[in-house]
Amino acid sequence: METDKKNILIIDDDFATRELIESLFMDEEQYAVLKAENAEQGLSLLETQNVDIILLDIMMHQIDGYEFCRKVRNVSKNKAIPIIILTAKHQQTDIQEGIKAGADEYVTKPFDLD
């Protein structure tokens, strides 16, 4: 992977969603996309890859997105990585929990591709 590219980590248990999000960046030469189908894979990638931004679903098996955020924020080298939650959970309490867990932004699905 080229070092001058920004690494985007997409974590979503839905294959189609991962592929859709990746497609948004395919023509952008300044980005490289890393994908994980669950939070555990995402945490493993964070140990071995430099990641510039994380796009994250909330509803996943075993470790949900909220817990993933807390785990990421508890590691000093990861504290500055922006985390954007992309989820179908749209209640105000969900949004508050996401921000409290460490997310920088909270976007509900379906989202505007622009």
Side-chain angles (χ1 to χ4, degrees):
M1 198 168 296
E2 296 180 31
T3 57
D4 59 336
K5 289 188 175 186
K6 300 291 184 189
N7 289 331
I8 299 171
L9 174 56
I10 301 167
I11 306 171
D12 196 305
D13 59 354
D14 181 68
F15 176 80
T17 301
R18 287 193 310 272
E19 295 300 305
L20 172 67
I21 297 169
E22 179 182 32
S23 74
L24 299 174
F25 300 99
M26 289 184 89
D27 293 333
E28 304 290 333
E29 292 183 17
Q30 69 265 29
Y31 300 110
V33 175
L34 306 167
K35 296 180 286 185
E37 65 184 53
N38 57 50
E40 293 88 353
Q41 287 181 359
L43 291 169
S44 293
L45 282 169
L46 282 173
E47 291 176 8
T48 60
Q49 303 289 322
N50 291 322
V51 173
D52 297 291
I53 190 166
I54 299 168
L55 305 177
L56 171 70
D57 188 22
I58 289 297
M59 296 181 288
M60 294 182 288
H61 301 290
Q62 293 154 337
I63 298 175
D64 68 16
Y66 301 128
E67 184 61 24
F68 175 87
C69 285
R70 288 188 283 274
K71 287 178 178 284
V72 168
R73 294 300 185 223
N74 282 328
V75 177
S76 60
K77 75 175 188 118
N78 297 332
K79 288 186 184 221
I81 300 172
I83 299 174
I84 299 174
I85 291 175
L86 301 173
T87 184
K89 295 184 74 144
H90 63 277
Q91 298 295 321
Q92 189 62 36
T93 55
D94 300 319
I95 296 168
Q96 290 170 343
E97 186 172 353
I99 300 302
K100 183 179 175 183
D104 296 285
E105 293 291 334
Y106 195 102
V107 178
T108 57
K109 296 176 187 175
F111 52 87
D112 183 353
L113 295 178
D114 292 328

